[in-house]
Amino acid sequence: MGGTHKPNILVFSPIQTEVDAYADRIRNSGFISVKTAKTLEEAEKYLPGTEVILGWNFPTQLLCKPIASSVRWFQSMGAGVNDLIADQSIPQNITLTRIMDQFGAYISEYVFLFLLDIVKDGPRMKQSQLERRWDPFISETLKGKTIGIAGLGSIGAELVRKARAFDMYVHGLSFSGKQATLVDLHFTPDQWGEFVKDLDYLVLTLPLTNSTYHIINQDLLLAMKPNAYLINVGRGALIDEGDLLSVMREGHLQGAVLDVFETEPLPKEHAFWSMPNVFVTSHLSGPSTINEVSNFFIENLKRFSSEQPLSGMVDRNRGY
Amino acid sequence: MGGTHKPNILVFSPIQTEVDAYADRIRNSGFISVKTAKTLEEAEKYLPGTEVILGWNFPTQLLCKPIASSVRWFQSMGAGVNDLIADQSIPQNITLTRIMDQFGAYISEYVFLFLLDIVKDGPRMKQSQLERRWDPFISETLKGKTIGIAGLGSIGAELVRKARAFDMYVHGLSFSGKQATLVDLHFTPDQWGEFVKDLDYLVLTLPLTNSTYHIINQDLLLAMKPNAYLINVGRGALIDEGDLLSVMREGHLQGAVLDVFETEPLPKEHAFWSMPNVFVTSHLSGPSTINEVSNFFIENLKRFSSEQPLSGMVDRNRGY
């Protein structure tokens, strides 16, 4: 890497141990000009001269101020960047990147845990053990069931691959259609009703954009089979949660697995927590682990230093 | 099928609804000479003239009596036939067959349910929901872990296929070595110690034979990594259960998933039921569903009628 430019880097996260861990890994990779901040005040202090930010919950209102004029690139620690895109205080000349291709394993393992728990009736197995009851019941199989994957990016593609290994029928819906050949049947965004009507499981891996906000509403939910399952590992606001609640209370849908919500953390009093056929988890299906985010960022730093195109470039117009 | 011989068939199971369901399916396939029995007395009554038995928990002591002299073929409803092979009252001239290739989907889905529940910490997710607690913890992934599969028959091969889709390292041990190329590293039965020492998960899919009885004993368990998991979907007596208990009570092994036991049903007072790191299920991972067993048997009946070799032939010397 002789002759490349090594930029001044600021790592921001409200969690002290995290910023330290990131800074260590970045320095160990040969980029030694790394500052860390976990509060707005610390960020203000270190922004002058900073060219690159690796951030989570960054006080973005600082980015349109003169102290941030040297910032050229903001790397988010997450995959979803709808907040950053909507944020008017981030100047357009700052390049935004998001983490990509790191979440396929995590999210697909999460999804298949729940698919298998549902189809094999894991809860009944555990209840039988609690009661010391010999209970050799026969469950169904994923084999032969139909899964629909909305969003065929790196996460969707990984779900397709695993669904194949389970001998499922795989339907997909995507905006670009670039990955249409991955699936048995491909649908476009004007075909949502057709897409959902034959599915045993609908998995949402879409980004949140103007075109996907509340895309799952009462009409679409009622178009699904009454015994289908809805699984959301994308963003909470893909679903109109009020519609989902009322439809499920009327007995439509066999269940839902929700890892993301319109309001996070999900409020303590929310009905989802206690519905027997709703599995609630805490936005943990695709965690930004320090190792994986560091590796992604360091690879991107090398590209930045040698003026190659960055991975995970965000297109503000496209919305992700 | 003109000119083929349609034999007299006896379907035996202690469960009335099962024998009726099998008999219906067999008759509907064109083999109309079907009797059913669910007790020793009924079997005695219908055995004279019977050429083919489809049976589960059959009173085998009848088979060496003159009333059974017309029996030429016994199709078991299960995959494991160690009991039938050991049974001295079954004449050697009765052909024994077992169900094959029907259990791969069932058993591999069962195994991956537990692998994912363990690695993603499904129980913690469910506990957090019970407590309405937002708890975005980071779990590990199957990706990058090493699974060892003992037995590379149709069930083992299906496990290999799914393990690949989860980007696991796959080691295998088999007696014949015929499927050695399926796995990253293959071991033979003289290499058990080498085989188990690097595994995160050891899955047993072996048949029970003289060479595999109590193959998993204290020495082998102690050769495993202290944080490894043992999963048994083969036969209970593959494991010396006393050794497993004492080794786990000393804190070796992180957990065990046991679907089969030396004594089934597992006695109510058995320690396994209440050990926090032992998952007990009721020999349900590879159920003989009526549809699948019927289909297998009817295909075999067609072969029998046209004097073609049967599927699932048991070799009494080999032991399965």
Side-chain angles (χ1 to χ4, degrees), chain B residues 230-275:
Chain B
L230 173 65
I231 296 161
N232 190 5
V233 290
R235 279 290 179 267
L238 297 172
I239 298 175
D240 184 321
E241 291 181 347
D243 282 7
L244 177 60
L245 262 174
S246 65
V247 161
M248 288 190 75
R249 280 175 170 158
E250 284 158 26
H252 197 79
L253 291 195
Q254 199 169 336
V257 178
L258 305 174
D259 186 48
V260 287
F261 303 91
E262 296 208 57
T263 304
E264 293 178 4
L266 184 67
K268 277 230 187 295
E269 66 280 6
H270 200 291
F272 283 152
W273 285 112
S274 59
M275 287 168 72

Side-chain angles (χ1 to χ4, degrees), chain A:
Chain A
M1 302 216 341
T4 59
H5 169 66
K6 302 232 172 155
N8 297 322
I9 301 160
L10 176 62
V11 176
F12 185 94
S13 156
I15 303 163
Q16 177 75 58
T17 51
E18 266 196 20
V19 288
D20 292 344
Y22 282 118
D24 282 350
R25 284 168 172 75
I26 297 164
R27 289 196 192 99
N28 287 338
S29 75
F31 293 87
I32 54 173
S33 175
V34 185
K35 297 270 196 308
T36 64
K38 54 185 196 301
T39 63
L40 181 135
E41 291 69 30
E42 290 175 2
E44 268 185 314
K45 178 170 157 199
Y46 293 123
L47 265 177
T50 290
E51 296 160 87
V52 176
I53 298 172
L54 170 65
W56 183 247
N57 288 328
F58 188 85
T60 51
Q61 64 271 34
L62 297 178
L63 291 177
C64 53
K65 297 194 175 171
I67 52 166
S69 60
S70 55
V71 175
R72 291 165 56 200
W73 165 35
F74 185 100
Q75 168 75 58
S76 166
M77 293 181 189
V81 286
N82 47 290
D83 293 347
L84 295 173
I85 289 173
D87 192 332
Q88 297 300 326
S89 56
I90 305 179
Q92 298 290 312
N93 66 342
I94 295 181
T95 298
L96 279 180
T97 56
R98 64 194 185 95
I99 302 291
M100 271 182 70
D101 297 323
Q102 303 292 303
F103 300 101
Y106 276 100
I107 294 187
S108 62
E109 292 190 14
Y110 170 96
V111 169
F112 276 88
L113 165 58
F114 282 97
L115 292 180
L116 288 165
D117 201 45
I118 288 164
V119 82
K120 310 311 285 178
D121 203 348
R124 175 165 169 184
M125 294 185 202
K126 289 179 180 174
Q127 188 59 33
S128 303
Q129 178 170 2
L130 267 178
E131 299 171 7
R132 296 179 175 239
R133 187 160 46 87
W134 190 256
D135 176 29
F137 69 94
I138 296 180
S139 64
E140 294 186 76
T141 56
L142 290 185
K143 179 178 175 173
K145 296 276 196 306
T146 303
I147 188 171
I149 300 165
L152 294 171
S154 62
I155 294 165
E158 190 56 41
L159 285 166
V160 172
R161 179 173 163 242
K162 291 193 168 89
R164 296 266 180 235
F166 282 93
D167 298 313
M168 304 179 80
Y169 298 102
V170 188
H171 298 185
L173 180 144
S174 70
F175 284 74
S176 75
K178 273 187 286 188
Q179 301 274 44
T181 55
L182 279 183
V183 294
D184 298 321
L185 270 178
H186 183 264
F187 298 84
T188 48
D190 54 323
Q191 300 174 300
W192 268 99
E194 277 297 296
F195 170 57
V196 303
K197 76 179 176 45
D198 296 321
L199 304 177
D200 297 304
Y201 310 101
L202 168 59
V203 185
L204 308 177
T205 74
L206 293 164
L208 182 62
T209 66
N210 287 335
S211 351
T212 63
Y213 177 81
H214 281 198
I215 187 82
I216 305 297
N217 58 19
Q218 176 169 298
D219 285 352
L220 264 187
L221 291 165
L222 292 175
M224 292 174 70
K225 297 200 293 191
N227 62 346
Y229 282 86
L230 173 66
I231 297 161
N232 190 4
V233 290
R235 279 290 181 268
L238 297 172
I239 299 175
D240 184 321
E241 291 181 348
D243 283 7
L244 178 60
L245 261 175
S246 66
V247 161
M248 288 190 74
R249 279 175 170 157
E250 285 157 26
H252 197 80
L253 292 194
Q254 200 168 337
V257 178
L258 305 174
D259 187 47
V260 288
F261 304 90
E262 296 208 58
T263 304
E264 294 180 3
L266 184 66
K268 277 231 186 294
E269 65 281 7
H270 201 288
F272 283 152
W273 285 112
S274 58
M275 287 168 73
N277 52 350
V278 175
F279 295 94
V280 169
T281 58
S282 306
H283 200 151
L284 50 67
S285 65
S288 302
T289 65
I290 292 174
N291 266 336
E292 297 196 303
V293 171
S294 300
N295 291 343
F296 187 91
F297 179 62
I298 290 164
E299 286 308 306
N300 244 355
L301 263 179
K302 292 176 185 168
R303 291 194 189 89
F304 182 83
S305 298
S306 52
E307 297 184 356
Q308 296 176 315
L310 300 182
S311 297
M313 285 282 288
V314 172
D315 179 335
R316 288 174 165 91
N317 294 320
R318 185 182 59 179
Y320 60 93

